[in-house]
């Protein structure tokens, strides 16, 4: 398991609150993360129910995402959004099928690099961007504010919406930095090339709709 940020550590948002700022936290934090990595599907942390704990770090408003892989175990604000549309288990099934854990392992833990299976408006970074935009539009013009916005991409699964994935072909550049004696099969190279393309466009697939 990972750990939690200690409440005794002062934070910048707390200092800004004391100075009269309204503070917003939108997206991926990892401030509180004490669930075991082996936690079963849907049996982990409930983020909406623990908003007040997050606010103690200095935020007046919190809308939090756990991360694409971690929404399998946990229930964050993005899960609540998908749940409200009847799409949560559909996306959890997709994440499980997509494969690929954090980082790569000795057996080359590749991601399937499949396109996002839902409507583009439901992509996690698009939803995060809209939440941030809504808070900006609602914020009083005469009051200073601080907004922390953190997007999930690029992160496994590399799943940009189809139109982003199709913008450019896979670049097959044999430019791998390998250890002496190490080699990649053609299949392994293809997997890495697909990951490079999908990871690059995952990070660009966050329109503020």
């Amino acid at each position: 398991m990972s750990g939690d940020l200690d409440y005794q550590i002062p934070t910048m948002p707390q200092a800004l609150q004391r100075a009269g700022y309204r503070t917003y936290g939108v997206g991926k934090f990892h401030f509180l993360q004490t669930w075991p990595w082996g936690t079963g599907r849907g049996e982990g942390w409930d983020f909406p129910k623990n908003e007040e704990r997050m606010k103690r770090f200095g935020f007046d408003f919190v809308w939090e995402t756990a991360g694409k892989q971690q929404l399998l175990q946990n229930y964050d604000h993005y899960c609540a959004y998908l749940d409200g549309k009847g799409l949560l288990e559909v996306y959890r099934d997709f994440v499980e099928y997509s494969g690929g854990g954090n980082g790569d392992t000795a057996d080359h833990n590749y991601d399937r690099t499949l396109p996002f299976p839902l409507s583009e408006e439901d992509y996690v970074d698009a939803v995060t961007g809209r939440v941030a935009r809504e808070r900006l539009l609602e914020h009083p013009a005469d009051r200073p504010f601080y907004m922390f916005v953190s997007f999930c991409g690029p992160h496994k699964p590399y799943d940009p919406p189809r139109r982003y994935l199709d913008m450019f072909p896979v670049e097959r550049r044999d430019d791998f930095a390998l250890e002496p004696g190490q080699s990649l099969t053609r299949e392994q190279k293809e997997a890495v090339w697909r990951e490079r393309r999908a990871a690059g466009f995952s990070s660009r697939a966050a329109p503020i709709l």
Side-chain angles (χ1 to χ4, degrees):
M1 67 175 63
S2 294
D4 291 348
L5 180 63
D6 196 314
Y7 285 117
Q8 297 184 59
I9 298 174
T11 67
M12 183 178 72
Q14 290 171 344
L16 291 171
Q17 280 183 324
R18 292 192 295 271
Y21 283 68
R22 179 167 177 79
T23 56
Y24 303 87
V26 180
K28 191 174 178 181
F29 290 83
H30 287 339
F31 285 8
L32 299 175
Q33 193 175 326
T34 54
W35 57 86
W37 291 118
T39 298
R41 176 164 164 161
E43 298 177 359
W45 189 258
D46 189 315
F47 286 70
K49 287 184 178 179
N50 286 278
E51 277 186 26
E52 294 307 312
R53 291 187 62 181
M54 278 298 301
K55 288 180 178 179
R56 288 175 59 188
F57 292 112
F59 294 100
D60 296 302
F61 172 87
V62 169
W63 188 92
E64 187 171 4
T65 56
K68 298 178 187 179
Q69 294 169 325
Q70 293 182 18
L71 63 72
L72 287 174
Q73 294 83 24
N74 304 289
Y75 190 86
D76 59 16
H77 289 82
Y78 177 59
C79 287
Y81 167 87
L82 292 178
D83 213 3
K85 302 182 77 169
L87 299 171
L88 176 57
E89 296 310 317
V90 174
Y91 188 59
R92 280 177 168 169
D93 287 343
F94 170 83
V95 171
E96 283 192 330
Y97 179 73
S98 293
N102 284 333
D104 277 336
T105 61
D107 60 351
H108 302 293
N109 185 18
Y110 297 125
D111 188 285
R112 294 179 188 269
T113 63
L114 300 170
F116 183 64
L118 309 176
S119 170
E120 188 174 315
E121 70 175 9
D122 298 323
Y123 192 68
V124 60
D125 286 348
V127 179
T128 301
R130 286 203 305 275
V131 172
R133 178 178 182 272
E134 289 163 3
R135 299 288 77 76
L136 287 173
L137 292 175
E138 294 174 359
H139 181 80
D142 60 348
R143 182 177 179 185
F145 74 92
Y146 166 79
M147 181 177 288
F148 169 92
V149 185
S150 176
F151 295 98
C152 286
H155 200 292
K156 293 185 178 182
Y158 302 133
D159 62 345
R162 168 63 72 181
R163 74 183 179 100
Y164 289 92
L165 196 60
D166 290 345
M167 281 183 176
F168 295 94
V170 176
E171 293 185 2
R172 292 178 171 84
R173 292 178 296 159
D174 201 345
D175 56 356
F176 303 103
L178 303 175
E179 296 289 337
Q182 184 183 11
S183 63
L184 296 176
T185 66
R186 179 70 184 189
E187 182 180 8
Q188 290 169 338
K189 290 178 182 179
E190 285 287 346
V192 175
W193 288 327
R194 290 195 304 271
E195 284 191 332
R196 283 178 176 177
R197 177 181 68 158
F201 285 99
S202 288
S203 64
R204 304 176 200 181
I208 300 178
L209 304 175

